[in-house]
Amino acid sequence: MPPTVLTARALLLDMDGTLVNSDAAVERCWRRWAVEHGLDPEAALKVVHGRQGYATMAVLLPDRPVEENHADNRVMLAEETADVEGVVPIGGAPAFMAAIAELPHALVTSADTALATARMGAAALPMPAVRVTAEQVGASKPDPEGFLKRAAELGFDAADCVVFEDSEAGIAAGRAAGMRVVGVGPRAAALAPDVHVEDLTRVRVEAAADGSIRLHIDAA
């Protein structure tokens, strides 16, 4: 089967599950939090990926005051930032990041700056110069705010951007922004992204003469 080719002007990249495999650290922190609050850890883990922590807490404890969720989220972020054991790059991520280094791209993550810096560093991946972290948006994914803000900062329309995402919330945010979505990894497989790949070894980046970016994708 020939590769799928997507043409874009800019790439917008999620971090956890897309560039960095941080599942072990995420699950350790969220299992502990779920048990402390009398919740089933397995059920909690089904909704944690892709959202800011306070938004996950609102899903799991819908009657809880939002101030308590934000307070717990601050503690959670500190715990996650300190726990980088087992944090590694997604397959193909180092080569992918090297290939796009001089092309328009941005990181759009639900992590805050400290957590994003810790995890990208642990995975030995370069931090994009253009990025949006939790402190810079008023609404968590699946709201498209983060993607739309960084597309605008890069100077491109939504239709000119391709999003790389792994989670239900992230893929929904990319769609809501009017962008095409490459789903990365096992979580994305059932979420009907425009294209799905097992990891970033399946993506080849070509800088076209007209300034566009051609993504040659061997779909999973």
Side-chain angles (χ1 to χ4, degrees), residues 2-91:
T4 297
V5 179
L6 298 180
T7 301
R9 291 283 176 180
L11 308 178
L12 303 180
L13 316 171
D14 177 49
M15 181 180 69
D16 293 303
T18 302
L19 299 174
V20 172
N21 183 345
S22 56
D23 282 2
V26 170
E27 291 186 8
R28 281 193 294 271
C29 291
W30 279 98
R31 283 181 186 278
R32 183 166 58 248
W33 182 88
V35 169
E36 289 173 356
H37 291 82
L39 300 171
D40 176 7
E42 297 305 321
L45 291 177
K46 292 179 181 178
V47 298
V48 302
H49 296 287
R51 294 180 173 88
Q52 290 190 41
Y54 74 85
T56 294
M57 294 168 189
V59 172
L60 295 170
L61 297 171
D63 298 324
R64 192 179 194 225
V66 66
E67 295 81 7
E68 292 185 30
N69 292 338
H70 280 282
D72 265 15
N73 187 47
R74 288 190 289 272
V75 174
M76 176 70 73
L77 285 169
E79 290 178 351
E80 290 187 295
T81 301
D83 184 358
V84 294
E85 182 181 352
V87 174
V88 296
I90 292 291

